[in-house]
Amino acid sequence: MPELPEVEVIRQSLDKKIKRKKVKKVIVRNKNLRFKIPDGFSRFLENKKILRVGRFSKYLIFYLSNKSYCLLHLGMSGTIHLLNQNKKNFITNTSFYNSPILPKKHNHVEIIFEKIRIIYNDPRRFGFFQIIDNSKMLEKRFSNFGPEPFHLDFNLKYVLSFFKKKEKNIKNFLLDQNFVSGIGNIYANEILFLSKVKPDKKVNLLKKKDCVRIIINSRKVLKDAIKKGGSSIRDFKNTFGSKGDFQKNFKVYDRVGLLCKRSSCAGKIKKKIISNRSTFFCDTCQI
DNA sequence: AAGAGGCCCTGATAGC
DNA sequence: TGCTATCAGGGCCTCT
C-alpha cells in the first residue's frame, strides 16, 4: 500500500487523533516484524506523550515528549486501525475485537490511549517499528536518504550530477531511496508515463528536458495523490487513513493491454518486469 | 563499486 | 472442491 502519499494521508489523520495524547499502554502481540521489536519497546513508549506525528519519506515519525522518537514503516501490507473506546476499563476491554473494521488476524501491535486505541496490522510483516533516542540519531537515520521530490534539493543540478555516467535505468533510480525519497512502484510508473520516458531508459541517455519533466512530474504525481487521499488498491479500501481515490487516475499502473490514455496516442499499455517489479508503460509515447 | 537478484512473509487469485 | 503457481504497493543483504 504505502508510498509517500499514502503515508502522508495516514499521518494527517493520525496526527489529528493522537497529538498531545499520552500513551497508557502498549501491547506487542507479535514482535517478529521485518526487524524484531526489542524488549522494552512497550516500556519506552508508555507514559510518554505523542507531541505530534511527522513523516519522512515512507516513514511515520512519532515525536515523543522526552525528545526521542518512534519510527514506523508500513512495509508492503501494514495498516493502522483506529478505535474509539469508552474510558471505563479501556486497557483491559477487548470488546473492540468484534469491530467490523478490524481484521481478524495479524494485529501485531496496539498503542492504547485513554479514549483511543491504534492497532498495527501487517499480514506480510515487512513493516517495522524503530526507537530513536535523540535528534542526532534521527538525523543520522535518514542521512543516506535522497531528498523528497518536493524539496528544493531535488533539482536539475542534483539529478544531472547523479545520472552522470550511470548505466542504471531511470525506473530503478526513481525507486532508489538514496536518490529520491518516497517514490514506490506505482508512482514511478505514473511519473515516467507523464514524462514520456521509457522505464528501462538508461539515465546517461536522458536529455536535460527529460530530467526536468521527471522532476516536475514527481512532484505533481505525489501532490495529486495526496490531494486525492492516496491510492487504494486490492483490499485496502476500508483501512484507516487510506480510503484514497487516486487509483482512478492511474494512467498505466495495472492497465496492461488497455489503450493509452494520452489522447493523441493509439498505443496500448505494456507490462514488463524490471528488477523484479512490475512495470507498466506505453511504448508508443514513452521513448 | 555499481548494479542485479534473492529474500523476508501471507493472502488473493488464476489455472488446472 | 482442492491443489499448485504466481503475484503483490518495500527495502536490505549478498554476490559478481
Side-chain angles (χ1 to χ4, degrees), chain A residues 65-77:
Chain A
S65 48
N66 67 339
K67 306 206 167 165
S68 61
Y69 310 85
C70 175
L71 302 187
L72 171 56
H73 193 293
L74 304 173
M76 292 275 254
S77 59

Side-chain angles (χ1 to χ4, degrees), chain A residues 169 172 175 273-279:
Chain A
N169 64 59
N172 279 354
L175 293 178
I273 305 296
I274 298 181
S275 304
N276 270 330
R277 312 298 300 273
S278 292
T279 305

Side-chain angles (χ1 to χ4, degrees), chain A residues 1 6-14 60 74 80 240-241:
Chain A
M1 171 183 87
E6 289 73 33
V7 178
E8 173 59 19
V9 171
I10 291 170
R11 184 201 72 72
Q12 288 171 9
S13 9
L14 203 49
L60 288 169
L74 304 173
I80 292 176
F240 164 73

Side-chain angles (χ1 to χ4, degrees), chain A residues 54-118:
Chain A
R55 180 192 59 72
F56 179 72
S57 184
K58 306 172 189 174
Y59 292 76
L60 288 169
I61 306 172
F62 298 94
Y63 288 74
L64 304 176
S65 48
N66 67 339
K67 306 206 167 165
S68 61
Y69 310 85
C70 175
L71 302 187
L72 171 56
H73 193 293
L74 304 173
M76 292 275 254
S77 59
T79 51
I80 292 176
H81 302 264
L82 193 139
L83 295 168
N84 296 304
Q85 55 194 2
N86 293 326
K87 196 169 175 181
K88 211 169 139 191
N89 301 327
F90 67 90
I91 289 175
T92 53
N93 175 23
T94 56
S95 62
F96 66 87
Y97 281 118
N98 299 320
S99 166
I101 66 158
L102 196 65
K104 295 273 173 284
K105 294 165 77 177
H106 309 300
N107 295 316
H108 304 313
V109 178
E110 283 178 38
I111 301 174
I112 303 169
F113 301 85
E114 198 159 311
K115 290 179 180 166
I116 219 158
R117 180 182 292 247
I118 61 177

Side-chain angles (χ1 to χ4, degrees), chain A residues 15 18-22 48-54 61-69 113:
Chain A
D15 187 57
I18 65 172
K19 181 154 59 177
R20 290 188 286 275
K21 293 212 161 50
K22 193 188 213 179
K48 296 196 174 68
K49 249 189 203 173
I50 310 286
L51 299 181
R52 68 186 178 94
V53 183
I61 306 172
F62 298 94
Y63 288 74
L64 304 176
S65 48
N66 67 339
K67 306 206 167 165
S68 61
Y69 310 85
F113 301 85

Side-chain angles (χ1 to χ4, degrees), chain A residues 6-7 15 28 34 37 186 195 212 219 240 242 268 276:
Chain A
E6 289 73 33
V7 178
D15 187 57
V28 178
R34 172 69 197 263
I37 293 179
I186 289 183
S195 304
V212 170
R219 293 179 182 150
F240 164 73
S242 61
K268 278 188 182 166
N276 270 330

